[in-house]
Amino acid sequence: MDKKRMNGLHHVTAISGPPQANADFFTKVMQQRLVKKTVNFDDPGTYHLYYGNETADPGTILTFFPFVNAGPGRAGPGMASAYAYAVGQRGFDTWMERLALEAIDFDGPAERFGSRVIKVSDPDGAKVELVEVEGDDGPTLDGFHSVTLQLDDMEPTQRLLTDIMGYDEVAHETKNGEERLRLQLPGDVRGGVVDLMRSDVPSIGRQGAGSIHHVAFRALDDDDQLDWRERLLSAGMDVTPVIDRQYFNAIYFREPGGVLFEIATDPPGFTRDEDLAHLGQSLQLPAQYENARDRIERTLPTLVA
């Protein structure tokens, strides 16, 4: 089978506590746009919130299932443990100055693979990373730099990402009891970096508030997604059929280390039920729940964003 390369990240989905604190943090502190306010397909009494850049582009989208009574989660082997936004050099300094002036605590800057990294804690204690990249872009966070996958054994995941999904191994380092292997797509790909990480500190992860649920990679269209599905099936992955997620079609599988991966299509996109100027302003429901709108709106917590 000919060599094919993934198109970078499409979105990252995480779990949070109450939705208002989540929305306040990501729209005010992280200055992201609330691009979609909808509900969990499997639990319409729970929001599904989408944040991204002003034009809701793939590779900028961070989504949350905000469970009001969620217990605390924590990252561990077999889970995605972090996501990072890319920030140009000038913008990186501006971010540190702004956070300091607004008395928002952050960790760092530390160095990772020769670049500065800072971490801000969200309301559930999860770390939101900002990674300095080349360029003189301003402080607007316009997409992901990377995700980190925490694994007990990095080799099987590394083989999947390099041999099947088209990533290149570009760097390796060990610091403070953490071993990291950096995999990257060539070119200027938004969210084109995946870090594999192994820690010397034993831990057991659990899903809950502050944890990442899954990582979604980008398919340009339905044909591209189906081609990826066939390639993954041929590589021995247990891949779901295509599932309609309203704003994209999705397929899911667990990579060899246990992390839940998704491949999501660009179309139809987030403007299928709201125009660009009004994204995120109204509650949008999947068609199967529209006839229960009144009940769902009474059940959902109040959210002002």
Side-chain angles (χ1 to χ4, degrees):
M1 190 174 288
D2 60 306
K3 182 78 167 181
K4 180 174 178 174
R5 295 187 186 273
M6 189 49 69
N7 304 295
L9 295 176
H10 184 280
H11 66 269
V12 174
T13 293
I15 298 171
S16 79
Q20 189 64 61
N22 181 264
D24 287 345
F25 177 81
F26 282 97
T27 59
K28 296 176 182 178
V29 177
M30 303 311 299
Q31 300 181 341
Q32 295 295 284
R33 182 180 186 182
L34 178 64
V35 300
K36 195 62 61 178
K37 181 169 58 173
T38 183
V39 295
N40 188 320
F41 268 85
D42 301 317
D43 177 11
T46 299
Y47 284 112
H48 192 177
L49 304 179
Y50 292 72
Y51 306 97
N53 69 353
E54 283 299 309
T55 46
D57 295 319
T60 75
I61 303 298
L62 177 65
T63 95
F64 282 91
F65 302 130
F67 295 105
V68 174
N69 298 313
R74 68 179 181 189
M79 299 174 67
S81 60
Y83 56 88
Y85 289 101
V87 190
Q89 292 163 326
R90 178 170 57 86
F92 192 88
D93 290 331
T94 301
W95 265 94
M96 288 196 294
E97 292 168 3
R98 181 187 144 242
L99 292 171
L101 287 172
E102 296 181 9
I104 299 169
D105 289 337
F106 60 91
D107 299 334
E111 187 174 295
R112 181 186 300 163
F113 294 116
S115 297
R116 292 183 296 171
V117 181
I118 60 173
K119 302 178 184 181
V120 185
S121 294
D122 77 6
D124 298 295
K127 299 297 185 183
V128 182
E129 298 184 343
L130 277 64
V131 176
E132 182 182 36
V133 297
E134 291 184 4
D136 199 33
D137 296 337
T140 300
L141 301 183
D142 196 43
F144 292 118
H145 171 269
S146 58
V147 291
T148 297
L149 312 181
Q150 186 172 343
L151 304 162
D152 280 330
D153 181 2
M154 296 191 292
E155 185 178 356
T157 303
Q158 182 259 334
R159 286 201 304 268
L160 171 70
L161 288 165
T162 56
D163 295 353
I164 306 301
M165 298 175 71
Y167 285 77
D168 296 323
E169 182 179 333
V170 296
H172 181 269
E173 69 179 18
T174 301
K175 286 184 178 181
N176 304 319
E178 285 188 358
E179 178 187 7
R180 281 183 178 266
L181 178 65
R182 173 152 292 183
L183 309 176
Q184 187 167 352
L185 297 168
D188 186 19
V189 177
R190 187 183 260 144
V193 173
V194 176
D195 280 354
L196 309 184
M197 185 270 284
R198 187 188 62 80
S199 175
D200 289 341
V201 179
S203 64
I204 298 176
R206 63 169 177 260
Q207 290 288 351
S211 69
I212 296 172
H213 187 267
H214 65 266
V215 173
F217 298 88
R218 181 182 179 194
L220 300 181
D221 53 31
D222 291 339
D223 289 340
D224 189 30
Q225 182 185 67
L226 291 173
D227 185 49
W228 278 114
R229 186 173 188 272
E230 290 304 313
R231 289 169 183 268
L232 290 162
L233 288 170
S234 297
M237 297 296 104
D238 184 12
V239 189
T240 68
V242 174
I243 301 172
D244 181 355
R245 292 304 194 196
Q246 193 162 358
Y247 306 110
F248 44 83
N249 288 329
I251 57 175
Y252 300 88
F253 64 100
R254 288 202 181 271
E255 56 81 29
V259 182
L260 182 59
F261 280 1
E262 174 185 349
I263 298 179
T265 57
D266 284 5
F270 296 102
T271 57
R272 70 170 301 177
D273 52 13
E274 295 176 295
D275 64 58
L276 185 62
H278 297 95
L279 289 179
Q281 294 186 11
S282 301
L283 177 67
Q284 303 299 319
L285 295 178
Q288 64 266 35
Y289 295 131
E290 192 58 58
N291 61 356
R293 175 176 285 274
D294 289 345
R295 176 178 57 81
I296 290 171
E297 290 183 338
R298 289 195 303 268
T299 301
L300 289 169
T302 300
L303 176 61
V304 179

